[in-house]
Each structure stands twice: as structure tokens, then as C-alpha cells.
Amino acid sequence: MRKQFGSILTNLRYRYTGPSASFEPRDLLLRLLSTATISLLILFISTLVAGAADGVDFDRDVRSILSDNCFQCHGPDKAQREGDIRLDTREGVISAVDDGYVVVPGMPDESRLIQRIFSDDPDHRMPPPEAKKVLTAEKLDTLLRWIQAGAEWSEHWAFIPPTKPTPPAIVETTRGQNPIDNFIANRLRDMGLSPSPEASRTTLIRRLSLDLTGLPPTPDEVDTFLADDSPDAYERVVDRLLASPHYGERMAWPWLDAARYADTNGYQGDRERTMYPWRDWVVEAFNGNLPYDDFTIWQLAGDLLPEPSREQKIATGFNRNHMINGEGGRIAEENRVEYVFDQLETVGTVWMGLTMNCCRCHDHKYDPLSNKDYYRFSAFFNQTAVTGEGGDPQTPPNLPLRSAETEERLAQLNKEIGKSEAFVQERKANLEPLQAEWEAHQLANLENSEEDESPLPTLLAIPQEKRDEKQRTEITNLFLETDEEYKTLAAALKGQTDERDTIEKNTVRVMIMEDMDEPRKTFVLERGVYSKHGEEVAASVPDVLPDMSEDAPRNRLGLARWLVDPQHPLTARVTVNRFWAEIFGQGLVKTTENFGVQGEQASHPEL
């Protein structure tokens, strides 16, 4: 019946308006049935679709219609909500309005939502004409059938913790040994399709090599695979490629992209930065098959683990991959706040597929994420000692990376420098009583000499009580140059400090995370402006998602563990979907970065 209804309206379009004319189904129906009242029209259509009411799934079929056409004015954003009507919640949909209800389950003709959609009065029609949104015949049919069937409501699929389904029964077209194949084969069967022919062995090894290492197979590797008739030939190729160092390099590419990795700061001047140790850590993490839970926790909070290793600290460079602004005259605090925004929004996208940036200035227009949720989430990242000053590509906190030999030499130098400084100071103190005699002697000699062009005559001519600090220091330094023992000690000290400074200058430093001892307060910022503080908030996760456990620390470590909790509805889905897209070119959800209500529906929901 749904198809028949759509066909009727489509035929009317071409019969009465011509193929190229603009078309609004509701307007055409009103013109054709101008003698009927709106209620009669709705009743007529409701009766027409009543027999086809079954089969409408709210999350799959209805939510997207409401989201696309209604949520901007009647959605989560309370500041922009019109008429105090909400269509993004069950309570709002069945709430009272005027002298009726927004939706009356089972009674489309009594539902104000339907009456406004079909109204011929521009002042009452929804969506309003100025919105330039048109509900197609198919969407009208879906809304009517949904209400007729009782207007059932369900949460957005991505916010419901996943459960392991029973794979469909094996069908004839299933060739693989993995239960995933059952889902795919059943979907193909339902669509009247059959799998593509099995790839040739030459094609197969090429696909494997490119997918797992980013490199084509060598001729010898192809020949070896073609000549291998053993049952596990394919598995051996997979194992070999997974063991290749190029596997980690291949898998790191998309992760570096998602993590906004770069070798420069990104603004004018674009100074080079030394974040490549973090990049190398990512490669090694994939090659070492680091569990994904650890991969997540180390990058978000490795520094907060008990006695963190150097690798765990390096991993937190993920958070510091943001651009760094060194523009002259830029306000440091404004920079710092922008860096915090970047960190939380990246985590929201990479691990949860949420467009949290939409909440920086106001409640989300489509998803159940509030402006307050945004700033409570930002509090997790608002605790580092980053000041936002300058464009230093190694801005603290950072971690120096040196070899064991260099560290040993540096420690030895620091000890030697300490001793040398003590010797120099001791010799300098022993010489102090002799300086007055030296000055008198030099002054007497200068009176008998007219060729001395050094600054000494001018300096000594100044009475001691009138010399400033700089002048006294210059005279002392000239005196010390006359003592050979002091000069030897000073030269040794300079050689040691020069060597130490050279090591420090050539040391690679990777920016990392490190929280301050004294927590920084976090506020809701009006329109995202760094200086316009509103309500003070504490670190917390969005209300729409499961809460953190009571004993979890309210810091980045608690947040990271919350993300990898098996009950978290988003992390596993978003992650698997990203890997699926990397191998097959398109995710089960096309919008890999958006699992909100404006994102695409999953092509295989059960899978």
C-alpha cells in the first residue's frame, strides 16, 4: 500500500504538472480535493494506509524525517525551540498543545502534527514555506502509518548499548566461514542479489597486500602464493602481512588523520614540531597488537596511570596534536581555551562519532547533547599547565627523548658542572681580598701610560661608592682574567656547560599531557567566548550516555576507562565501523564521524 500511495502521487505529478514542474504533494492533493476539509482528507489517507501500518520502524523510518524537517525549531536546542514544542522526545510528541495533542497515537486525523503538515494556510503549515523543506509523498505516508500504528517510540539506535545477536541461518549463497558472512548473505538474498564471483588468487593477494600493508605484493610473493595448494595458504599470507612492519605503518595512516597529526603548527609561520615520536608510537602499537582498551587509555590518560612508562606518556601526545597559534598580539588564554575545545571535540568524534562541536555555543540542534554537556566534558581536558602563550612547537608540558647513553652523559655533565661551579666560586672568594690592591696598582700604572685603550681606565676612574652593579661586575671580571688558576677553572666550566647546552638543544621533545596539582575551574562559556564565564561546571559525561561509575576518578583516566567500558553504546561501534571502512571503502554506517540522528543509518543494523 505504501508503494501504491507513492505511485498515485507520482502519477499525479506527471499528469497534472509535467515532469519538470516543482511539486509539493500536499499542495496538489489540496487542489485536487479542494472541496474536502483537512480532517476529511487526513481521515481518507489514514484509512488508505491503515492496512499498511505495520512495518514502520520509528528509528529507521520516522526519526530522520522529524530530524531533517522539524528538529531545527522543535528539537534539543531550547534556546531556538518554537512554541515550546519538542519533537525529539516521546514526551514532547504526545504532549498537549492548543486544544489537542501534538500526536494522538492511532489517530492521525486528531494529531496537530498531521493537521499542520497538511494545512493550506501558509501561517500554519509545517514546515513553514520559508524553511524550503518539502515532505515527499513517501515521507507523508510514513508519518501517517507511524501514527496510525500507535506512534511507537524508540531511542536512537546508536545510544543503546549493543547486544550480540544470533547470526541468521546459513543460506545457500554463504561461502565464508565467519558468522559475519551470514548477515551479508541474507541481506543480499533479501535484495535479490547474489555475491560477486570469488576473486582469483592473484587478485586476492593483491587486495590483501594493499589492505594490510599499503604496498602491492612482489612478483615472488605472488608466485609463492599461487604455487601453495595447502588449505591454509590464505591464512599464511594474512599472518605474514600482519607480522610485517609495514602493517603498523598502513594502519597508522587513517589514525593519524583522525588524530589531526601534523609536523607543523598549522598557523602563519607554521613552525615545525617534533610530534613524530607519537606517530612512531602509533605504528609500534599496531605492530605490537596493543589491545584497543590500552590504545585508548594510554593516548587519553597514559600520564595518569600508576608509575607511567615513557611510552605511556608519549601516547598522550594524541591530545597535543592540535594546531598551535603563535600570532603576535593573540591572547594566551584564548589560545589555551581553543586547544581544550579541539581536544574534547576530537575525542567526541574519534571515539563516539558525535558532533560535539555543535554544542560549543548552544544546545545541539539534532542530538540530545546540551551546551552544558559540552563544558562538563571539556573539564576533563582543562587541567593541563598549558598557558597558550607563543607558538613554541615544544610548548610544555613535554617529554625529552634521549638515548640511554646520552642520558648517562647528561647526568655526568650535571655532576661535573656542579663541582666546577663550586671550584670557581671558591677561587673567586679567595681572590676577593686581592682585588682592591690590584685596582690601586692598575690605577697607578695607568697614570704613567697613555696607550691603554681598554675600558679599565674609565671604570677605575669612577669612585667605588658611585659604581653601579654593571660597572662593578666588569671590573671584577677584568681582575679575574689576571689569575691563571681561575681562568683554567672557568674554561673547564664553560666547556661542560656548552656540551650540556648542545645536548639540550638537540634533544627531541614530544608534547604530552600532564595535569596541574591545583585543579582549574571550568565554566560554561557564553557563545564559546573564552572570557565570558557562566555557570561553573564539574567534569562529567553527556546525560544521554551511561554515567561513569561512582568510584571512577573524574579525570582523563576515568573518562578513558568509561569510553572502553563494554556498556558504552558508541565506542565499539564507531571503532569497528572505522576499520570496516578502511578495508571495504565504506563503513556499515557511511558517516563514520557522525553516529547522531543526522548520520546515516547502518546498512546492516544487526551486524
Side-chain angles (χ1 to χ4, degrees), residues 58 228 237 327 333 350 395 443 454 498:
F58 174 79
D228 189 348
V237 172
E327 179 184 355
E333 178 64 7
V350 171
T395 182
L443 193 57
S454 72
D498 284 349

Side-chain angles (χ1 to χ4, degrees), residues 117-273:
I117 286 174
F118 279 91
S119 175
D120 60 349
D121 184 347
D123 293 333
H124 288 82
R125 184 189 308 162
M126 290 293 160
E130 60 269 21
K132 301 187 183 303
K133 296 179 182 292
V134 178
L135 287 170
T136 64
E138 183 179 13
K139 292 177 180 178
L140 288 170
D141 172 41
T142 298
L143 289 175
L144 287 166
R145 292 194 300 129
W146 170 59
I147 297 175
Q148 185 71 44
E152 290 296 324
W153 188 276
S154 63
E155 293 301 318
H156 180 50
W157 67 270
F159 297 144
I160 302 173
T163 56
K164 188 174 183 178
T166 301
I170 297 177
V171 296
E172 294 179 0
T173 53
T174 302
R175 289 197 298 257
Q177 301 297 318
N178 194 300
I180 291 176
D181 297 315
N182 295 18
F183 290 95
I184 305 299
N186 273 269
R187 179 64 183 274
L188 290 173
R189 181 191 61 186
D190 293 344
M191 298 178 68
L193 301 174
S194 57
S196 299
E198 187 170 345
S200 68
R201 289 170 69 86
T202 303
T203 299
L204 187 58
I205 190 173
R206 181 174 176 82
R207 286 178 180 173
L208 281 172
S209 296
L210 289 172
D211 281 341
L212 296 181
T213 68
L215 301 170
T218 66
D220 287 344
E221 290 170 342
V222 174
D223 292 342
T224 300
F225 180 54
L226 294 179
D228 189 348
D229 295 329
S230 61
D232 61 346
Y234 174 83
E235 285 77 8
R236 284 213 296 270
V237 172
V238 171
D239 290 340
R240 175 177 61 79
L241 294 172
L242 291 177
S244 167
H246 300 307
Y247 166 73
E249 296 166 352
R250 160 69 180 93
M251 296 303 292
W253 293 347
W255 187 258
L256 299 184
D257 187 30
R260 73 270 195 248
Y261 171 79
D263 292 310
T264 60
N265 280 351
Y267 286 100
Q268 71 292 336
D270 209 16
R271 294 180 61 183
E272 291 185 1
R273 65 206 300 178

